[in-house]
Amino acid sequence: MRAVQVAELSGPGSALRVAEVGAPTLSPMFAGDQPVVVDVHAAGVSFPEVLQTRGQYQYQPPLPFTPGSEVAGVVVEAPEGSGLAAGDRVAAFCGTGGWAEQVVAPASLTFRLPDHMSYAEGAGFVLNYHTAHFGLVTRGQLAEGERVLVHGAAGGLGSAAVDLASALGAEVVAVVSSDEKAELARACGAADVLRAGTWKAELDERHPDGVDVVIDPVGGAVMTDSLRSLRPLGRHVVLGFAGGEIPEVKANRLLLRNISVVGAGWGAYALAHPELSREVQAELEPLLQERRIMPRVGVTYPWEDAALALADIDERRALGKVVLLVR
């Protein structure tokens, strides 16, 4: 079968090759899980893949390797007791190997797609929405009626956080960098939208009493002002460092203002606690069926053009979820 592979660690513009590869196997990170063979129709593209082309991500398979952690497609083969069968339309988190014609995914992270969801939408679901739920609910302890500030609100993860927080009854304030991104954030349910360069001044003017939860996949310089924006007992949830810098926190800020900084590393926790994924999916399923949440696909590319998809993310052009179409 064919796959897009990272052949060298030279960055998203030159690292990728289309190659003939052998039959897929379950990623070692899912050792002990039940394998589900899936014909891939669409595959998600996310910031970790940009980092993997440079050798900068915490999980780096040996070269050459097939990237792609999230897919949607049709089950070819599933083990007894998995709840899945050949012919099922599914979305799955496969960890790696998703940018290929076929992948093996763990049964614990493979879920049937509602009839109204396309494969492209399915490819943007598991990673982003399970991560958003982990950040908002499991780690952020979000309560209905609270105010949430979401940085990077028009990307794949940010738009999912806006969408889910709004569906859970929160008042969402989104931070974006353009009019087009502001439009997407509002479509996802944001009650207010701030501009990335001036967001703190705008927040102070329009919401001087602050926010209860900050969802931060950006890191860098935004963290200090985000901490200053929290109400007492507020939670700043760290989801990543797309801005490049890993910030440091002065502990006296936390003490004097009675606020918390909370790490939300969904992947590692979900691998160690497979029951989490079933519980989260059970909470997300009715929201999906009622169409109260839905991944926003911003752009699709033929899978051979994966380098262009990575460039959209690397150069901050991505609007919603970027998806590769395999079939």
Side-chain angles (χ1 to χ4, degrees), residues 211-229:
V211 303
D212 299 289
V213 178
V214 174
I215 295 296
D216 183 8
V218 177
V222 305
M223 188 172 190
T224 298
D225 279 340
S226 295
L227 293 175
R228 291 175 177 146
S229 303

Side-chain angles (χ1 to χ4, degrees), residues 268-322:
Y269 192 87
L271 287 177
H273 301 83
E275 72 281 358
L276 173 74
S277 299
R278 292 187 290 271
E279 294 167 1
V280 169
Q281 186 66 19
E283 294 186 28
L284 295 177
E285 191 70 31
L287 299 177
L288 273 177
Q289 294 292 352
E290 295 164 14
R291 307 192 187 199
R292 294 170 60 194
I293 59 173
M294 179 62 67
R296 265 61 174 192
V297 177
V299 64
T300 62
Y301 287 97
W303 66 312
E304 296 90 346
D305 291 336
L308 298 178
L310 288 177
D312 277 351
I313 294 175
D314 191 34
E315 297 169 16
R316 306 296 190 268
R317 293 193 301 267
L319 192 70
K321 188 63 184 178
V322 179

Side-chain angles (χ1 to χ4, degrees), residues 9-326:
L9 302 180
S10 56
S14 58
L16 303 179
R17 304 284 188 276
V18 177
E20 287 290 331
V21 299
T25 58
L26 188 65
S27 171
M29 68 176 68
F30 301 114
D33 209 322
Q34 295 178 297
V36 180
V37 182
V38 179
D39 277 342
V40 179
H41 284 242
V45 184
S46 56
F47 188 65
E49 278 104 37
V50 174
L51 297 179
Q52 283 184 327
T53 67
R54 298 188 174 114
Q56 296 174 342
Y57 195 56
Q58 57 258 39
Y59 178 70
Q60 285 289 141
L63 293 172
F65 66 91
T66 302
S69 63
E70 49 189 334
V71 300
V74 177
V75 173
V76 175
E77 183 180 343
E80 291 185 14
S82 66
L84 299 166
D88 286 346
R89 299 172 69 249
V90 295
F93 179 80
C94 54
T96 190
W99 295 0
E101 292 176 314
Q102 193 173 85
V103 73
V104 178
S108 65
L109 283 162
T110 304
F111 310 105
R112 286 191 185 88
L113 281 179
D115 291 341
H116 65 268
M117 277 184 79
S118 68
Y119 290 117
E121 290 165 338
F125 173 66
V126 179
L127 175 61
N128 286 334
Y129 278 80
H130 279 238
T131 300
H133 188 282
F134 188 67
L136 287 164
V137 179
T138 306
R139 302 296 287 138
Q141 297 294 293
L142 179 67
E144 185 176 356
E146 288 191 313
R147 182 180 293 150
V148 180
L149 179 72
V150 180
H151 288 288
L157 177 55
S159 61
V162 172
D163 194 27
L164 181 58
S166 177
L168 294 174
E171 177 191 356
V172 182
V173 179
V175 180
V176 300
S177 60
S178 70
D179 289 344
E180 192 176 19
K181 291 180 178 181
E183 184 177 345
L184 175 65
R186 290 191 179 94
C188 290
D192 197 4
V193 181
L194 315 177
R195 286 307 174 91
T198 56
W199 72 267
K200 183 62 169 69
E202 293 173 6
L203 183 73
D204 290 345
E205 179 182 351
R206 280 136 64 172
H207 307 281
D209 56 335
V211 303
D212 299 289
V213 178
V214 174
I215 295 296
D216 183 8
V218 177
V222 305
M223 188 172 190
T224 298
D225 279 340
S226 295
L227 293 175
R228 291 175 177 146
S229 303
L230 286 173
R231 294 167 172 166
L233 306 184
R235 293 83 71 198
H236 183 285
V237 183
V238 179
L239 286 167
F241 310 104
E245 287 186 40
I246 299 176
E248 296 182 358
V249 179
K250 293 186 180 296
N252 64 319
R253 296 183 187 276
L254 312 182
L255 174 67
L256 296 175
R257 303 193 62 245
N258 287 297
I259 58 177
S260 303
V261 175
V262 183
W266 169 75
Y269 192 87
L271 287 177
H273 301 83
E275 72 281 358
L276 173 74
S277 299
R278 292 187 290 271
E279 294 167 1
V280 169
Q281 186 66 19
E283 294 186 28
L284 295 177
E285 191 70 31
L287 299 177
L288 273 177
Q289 294 292 352
E290 295 164 14
R291 307 192 187 199
R292 294 170 60 194
I293 59 173
M294 179 62 67
R296 265 61 174 192
V297 177
V299 64
T300 62
Y301 287 97
W303 66 312
E304 296 90 346
D305 291 336
L308 298 178
L310 288 177
D312 277 351
I313 294 175
D314 191 34
E315 297 169 16
R316 306 296 190 268
R317 293 193 301 267
L319 192 70
K321 188 63 184 178
V322 179
V323 175
L324 302 178
L325 300 181
V326 180

